[in-house]
Amino acid sequence: MTRAIWIYTAVNLTIIGISHLTVPRAWMDFFIWLRGKGHAGVFVVAAMSLVFGGPIVAFHEVWRGLPLVVTLLGWAQIAKATLYFVFPAHGLRMLGSVREDRPWIFVPGGVLLLLLAAPVWYLLIRSGWPGPPMP
């Protein structure tokens, strides 16, 4: 199960990271649209965080070494989801930082996502992926 979570994490981080780098204006439009939905839009962001972090927290309880990156990422997503679900006004303020004249704000986020993906890809390759797990 651990390797399955690594695959889940690496694929999600990589795709979303590349997307942030290549189409930041689309992300800007998406989050401005969500902001326009008010607290319901904040709940969408919270749900996305919960869907990403939930499986990690449920199936990856590794608290040492490089795999710790995955565990902490999962818990960070759960913390964000909790914060946004319980305090949607805070989430709305965060969505307020997205403006039409600043689509570039998604580029550093994309870089960060790819930097987080790198050690997870390393773990996967070191484990013999693709293919059966190494003994």
Side-chain angles (χ1 to χ4, degrees), residues 48-73:
M48 291 185 324
S49 295
L50 193 59
V51 166
F52 181 57
I56 296 170
V57 167
F59 300 110
H60 192 272
E61 204 166 329
V62 180
W63 292 99
R64 64 188 188 310
L66 195 52
L68 175 64
V69 170
V70 176
T71 303
L72 292 176
L73 179 63

Side-chain angles (χ1 to χ4, degrees), residues 80-123:
K80 179 181 176 181
T82 302
L83 182 65
Y84 279 33
F85 276 132
V86 176
F87 303 105
H90 170 75
L92 205 49
R93 279 193 304 278
M94 297 304 291
L95 287 174
S97 67
V98 179
R99 297 192 330 236
E100 287 190 25
D101 62 331
R102 298 174 12 159
W104 58 266
I105 66 169
F106 291 95
V107 173
V111 170
L112 177 61
L113 292 171
L114 292 173
L115 288 172
L116 288 169
V120 184
W121 283 116
Y122 171 78
L123 289 168

Side-chain angles (χ1 to χ4, degrees), residues 22-39:
T22 59
V23 286
R25 188 163 296 281
W27 283 98
M28 176 201 68
D29 290 342
F30 177 59
F31 281 105
I32 288 173
W33 178 78
L34 285 174
R35 182 177 64 222
K37 302 299 179 190
H39 290 171

